[in-house]
Amino acid sequence: MLRSEEGYLLAVRRMTEPESVFGQLKNNRGFRRFLLRGIEKVTLEVGWLSLAHNLLKQAANDQKQRAAILQ
């Protein structure tokens, strides 16, 4: 599957997507280091960061949709 054009496009997409999220967390949200120590606590902290990122992204999409409906 990876040798097909579709597989290649999926592989390329997987390689680039996480970079933008980490860049936004570091640059836009000011996340530089974990506040907690230990794998369980760090996993929890990553979960909270991911949740916040996804909620903010969803709120921005909802706002764009509302603005488009009103116009």
Side-chain angles (χ1 to χ4, degrees), residues 2-69:
L2 287 177
R3 293 184 184 192
S4 69
E5 186 173 336
E6 180 184 2
Y8 173 76
L9 293 174
L10 286 172
V12 169
R13 185 171 167 215
R14 276 195 308 262
M15 286 187 283
T16 58
E17 283 184 359
E19 290 299 323
S20 65
V21 174
F22 291 129
Q24 287 179 13
L25 286 174
K26 288 175 74 175
N27 195 34
N28 300 343
R29 306 277 177 242
F31 179 75
R32 294 287 182 222
R33 63 175 58 187
F34 291 102
L35 300 173
L36 305 172
R37 298 292 173 249
I39 192 70
E40 291 179 4
K41 293 177 185 176
V42 168
T43 301
L44 181 64
E45 195 170 351
V46 168
W48 284 112
L49 288 167
S50 300
L51 179 64
H53 174 78
N54 289 331
L55 288 173
L56 289 167
K57 194 172 178 180
Q58 184 64 46
N61 286 338
D62 291 348
Q63 190 173 12
K64 284 180 188 177
Q65 286 179 350
R66 274 189 251 117
I69 290 172

